[in-house]
Amino acid sequence: LRCALVSLAQGPSCLADRVWQEWNGEGKSQLDFMQEDQCILVDFEDNVIGYDDKFECHIFSPERPRGKLHRAFSVFLFDQSGRLLLQQRAKEKITFPEVWTNTCCSHPLTGYTPTEQDEPHHVADGSVPGVKRAAIRKLEHELGIPASQFEIDDFRFVARLHYWAADAVTHGPESPFGEHEIDYVLFVQKTVTLEPNASEVGGFEYVTPEQLLTLMMPESGRLWSPWFRILATRLLLPLWSRLPAILDGSERPDVTKIQRFDCAEEFLGGELSQSPPHHLICNWHFRSSQPA
């Protein structure tokens, strides 16, 4: 908890002045990442308001029953035939272990050069180079895809998703962990080499849209991340059907609007279970004009 103590003692603004030249995950545990990685805190409209470690961001407590709202990204990597690469999160993961999800999900971080923090004009023009740098970093760390196999311009920014969910499915209804994110959704189509990191990834496979729909049926027995379930059921399939146009830039989805969704019922839990009624908490959050 040393980084949490530092941030409390010195204030989040001091973290903006800490600069590391290169992120290095070698030899670090999941707990190390939770304590050391500094996420980008944002308000309801995705304006940067500070920084804090992953542990503090993902704790659901009576004082902040939805954790701390922060930026994230979700990469959807397609092969040349248009199949989507899915990942199963490793059992060692502290939040949402062993669930299936999209290719890579993580957070842009503060403190690195070049920066992973995007400004409003990057969102407006769709470039978001910071989030794309973070995506390349984590694709290499999690799936072993060499960074040299990507260029920043290979990625297309297709949506921003604001959601929250307690980790009640994998950790039980009293889970202290959850997600509360504005998630930048990136598409990329590449032929890549894979060498998954066993401490990050428990499995992977390429699927067609039809195969994905079958796998998401309850009979499959698979658990899915809450963010992927929202994306798959609300946004993914229409965008997937227009993949060539999105990738060649002839179609640009509107990313200026933040799409907001409440959690599915099974992801209510943690400290939210102590704060009745659940539906008022969910509905207030996405009707409110105040920062979360």
Side-chain angles (χ1 to χ4, degrees):
L1 300 177
R2 60 186 181 277
C3 286
L5 294 174
V6 167
S7 65
L8 288 172
Q10 298 181 334
S13 62
C14 71
L15 298 171
D17 299 324
R18 296 171 59 188
V19 177
W20 296 271
Q21 292 301 312
E22 184 177 348
W23 183 91
N24 186 352
E26 186 176 352
K28 293 185 178 180
S29 68
Q30 294 295 326
L31 184 58
D32 291 332
F33 296 134
M34 291 289 279
Q35 294 174 340
E36 296 175 11
D37 285 353
Q38 297 291 324
C39 294
I40 300 168
L41 303 180
V42 294
D43 65 14
F44 197 74
E45 297 303 329
D46 195 24
N47 299 301
V48 176
I49 59 173
Y51 312 97
D52 212 338
D53 60 63
K54 288 171 66 175
F55 184 87
E56 286 294 314
C57 290
H58 293 85
I59 285 290
F60 280 26
S61 67
E63 295 77 17
R64 48 178 193 274
R66 290 180 300 276
K68 294 186 177 182
L69 180 59
H70 55 278
R71 279 187 187 161
F73 64 82
S74 287
V75 175
F76 288 72
L77 186 149
F78 302 88
D79 67 10
Q80 294 304 320
S81 64
R83 297 181 302 166
L84 171 64
L85 179 61
L86 299 177
Q87 175 196 142
Q88 183 186 31
R89 290 165 65 86
K91 65 180 180 180
E92 290 87 355
K93 300 287 281 188
I94 293 174
T95 59
F96 299 95
E98 298 187 283
V99 302
W100 283 86
T101 191
N102 48 284
T103 312
C104 181
C105 328
S106 192
H107 310 86
L109 303 175
T110 188
Y112 295 95
T113 302
T115 182
E116 294 182 358
Q117 179 174 312
D118 290 306
E119 302 301 331
H121 69 274
H122 296 129
V123 174
D125 65 21
S127 62
V128 291
V131 164
K132 292 176 181 179
R133 291 186 193 108
I136 293 172
R137 170 174 60 80
K138 287 300 287 184
L139 284 164
E140 182 168 41
H141 175 236
E142 293 187 1
L143 289 158
I145 304 173
S148 60
Q149 294 188 6
F150 296 106
E151 300 290 342
I152 291 289
D153 291 340
D154 292 336
F155 294 84
R156 293 291 180 267
F157 177 33
V158 300
R160 280 187 294 171
L161 169 71
H162 183 178
Y163 79 98
W164 68 273
D167 195 358
V169 173
T170 55
H171 281 296
E174 303 304 317
S175 171
F177 298 111
E179 288 286 7
H180 189 190
E181 300 178 329
I182 292 184
D183 190 11
Y184 285 48
V185 182
L186 303 175
F187 278 12
V188 62
Q189 187 170 39
K190 277 281 183 175
T191 299
V192 296
T193 57
L194 296 168
E195 191 175 344
N197 180 345
S199 67
E200 295 283 338
V201 178
F204 65 92
E205 66 179 301
Y206 284 95
V207 297
T208 65
E210 296 75 20
Q211 289 169 330
L212 177 61
L213 290 174
T214 299
L215 289 171
M216 295 194 73
M217 298 294 288
E219 305 87 78
S220 75
R222 291 192 177 188
L223 297 177
W224 296 89
S225 73
W227 59 90
F228 183 74
R229 284 191 52 185
I230 293 171
L231 288 165
T233 57
R234 303 296 186 96
L235 301 174
L236 175 60
L237 293 180
L239 293 172
W240 199 344
S241 69
R242 306 195 301 276
L243 183 62
I246 291 171
L247 292 173
D248 70 18
S250 59
E251 178 177 338
R252 291 188 58 185
D254 182 7
V255 293
T256 60
K257 177 183 177 181
I258 302 171
Q259 305 193 54
R260 308 183 196 272
F261 297 98
D262 282 329
C263 57
E265 185 176 354
E266 61 266 37
F267 294 108
L268 285 167
E271 290 297 335
L272 289 172
S273 65
Q274 309 301 317
S275 307
H278 294 161
H279 70 280
L280 290 182
I281 295 172
C282 292
N283 290 341
W284 172 85
H285 175 58
F286 290 113
R287 290 174 183 167
S288 171
S289 61
Q290 298 301 313

